[in-house]
Amino acid sequence: EPEVTQTPSHQVTQMGQEVILRCVPISNHLYFYWYRQILGQKVEFLVSFYNNEISEKSEIFDDQFSVERPDGSNFTLKIRSTKLEDSAMYFCASAMWALRGTDTQYFGPGTRLTVL
Amino acid sequence: GIQVEQSPPDLILQEGANSTLRCNFSDSVNNLQWFHQNPWGQLINLFYIPSGTKQNGRLSATTVATERYSLLYISSSQTTDSGVYFCAAEGRETSGSRLTFGEGTQLTVNP
């Protein structure tokens, strides 16, 4: 069964450093998402992406964050200058279609980011 | 935006028992999904169920969209069912297709 993959599974970085989290969505999906989960809390939406542009972003997704689909298979989340509070599990998700009446969002296994 | 509330927050069962988890949502939905987060943190899709009833083995789910709630039933629970169960909904009035998650139900199944 096709699945969303994410790399790395765990990333440790120093405060102020840039990190890039990578995702390979399911191949025929067109809608891509990033969510995050701070330890012990619920999952929060960051951004959705369709047709090579952001379709929606949350208040968490400030200027320190950016997303990109650099080729036909990868979808990345960049954090420009990490802060301690960016430590969380970051989930990538994809869906086949997501207009009103949306399809299932499939989640990757997550990247655990630790900022020291 | 849409509000999603789950109950109970914690549930402890003996192996073999049945349970019902509830998800209330504040608006009409385009999408409602149930997930199981395993001890490794992975979010496992259980159901896509904006309305109606579905069954998958020992698990079943029902969403009554007109009354804005969904129920997840676990029958004959096993220790491997332990973990956090999340409900997530996309409100019909949102501009995009973001899922809003509830706080989750922490399920512990004891042998």
Side-chain angles (χ1 to χ4, degrees):
Chain A
E1 182 176 311
E3 57 184 19
V4 177
T5 60
Q6 291 186 242
T7 54
S9 57
H10 191 186
Q11 171 116 28
V12 180
T13 189
Q14 295 290 327
M15 189 169 55
Q17 296 297 303
E18 175 183 286
V19 295
I20 297 176
L21 310 182
R22 291 183 166 80
C23 168
V24 179
I26 295 173
S27 63
N28 61 344
H29 285 187
L30 301 176
Y31 294 82
F32 314 116
Y33 309 84
W34 284 101
Y35 293 81
R36 79 172 186 189
Q37 184 183 30
I38 295 171
L39 188 64
Q41 298 185 20
K42 65 180 180 180
V43 179
E44 302 173 289
F45 169 80
L46 292 177
V47 65
S48 58
F49 191 87
Y50 168 70
N51 200 25
N52 284 320
E53 61 182 26
I54 291 173
S55 50
E56 188 186 7
K57 59 183 180 180
S58 72
E59 56 280 1
I60 302 169
F61 193 89
D62 61 21
D63 292 344
Q64 293 298 315
F65 292 89
S66 62
V67 290
E68 191 177 35
R69 187 154 165 82
D71 53 42
S73 60
N74 290 285
F75 180 51
T76 62
L77 174 70
K78 181 193 292 186
I79 308 174
R80 245 177 290 281
S81 177
T82 50
K83 306 170 190 170
L84 295 176
E85 55 264 38
D86 293 328
S87 294
M89 179 79 97
Y90 287 81
F91 292 103
C92 174
S94 70
M96 187 176 297
W97 62 282
L99 298 176
R100 302 213 172 262
T102 107
D103 197 5
T104 306
Q105 292 187 26
Y106 292 90
F107 281 67
T111 293
R112 184 167 299 284
L113 176 65
T114 303
V115 182
L116 302 176
Chain B
I2 192 169
Q3 305 297 312
V4 179
E5 294 182 354
Q6 292 185 243
S7 59
D10 297 279
L11 186 59
I12 300 175
L13 302 173
Q14 287 300 120
E15 203 166 24
N18 302 328
S19 62
T20 301
L21 282 59
R22 187 176 179 103
C23 172
N24 292 330
F25 42 92
S26 59
D27 294 312
S28 299
V29 297
N30 289 326
N31 179 2
L32 189 132
Q33 293 183 230
W34 282 96
F35 297 89
H36 175 214
Q37 187 164 43
N38 64 22
W40 297 271
Q42 295 175 326
L43 286 169
I44 309 301
N45 267 311
L46 297 178
F47 295 102
Y48 166 81
I49 190 163
S51 63
T53 298
K54 290 185 178 179
Q55 180 154 8
N56 184 5
R58 295 181 296 103
L59 273 58
S60 63
T62 295
T63 297
V64 183
T66 53
E67 297 187 22
R68 298 182 181 170
Y69 72 88
S70 183
L71 302 174
L72 178 69
Y73 304 97
I74 304 174
S75 64
S76 304
S77 57
Q78 301 175 358
T79 56
T80 51
D81 295 331
S82 295
V84 183
Y85 289 80
F86 287 105
C87 166
E90 178 204 341
R92 192 162 291 175
E93 299 306 317
T94 59
S95 58
S97 56
R98 67 161 75 184
L99 286 176
T100 298
F101 282 72
E103 299 282 346
T105 292
Q106 173 76 58
L107 175 66
T108 303
V109 181
N110 292 320

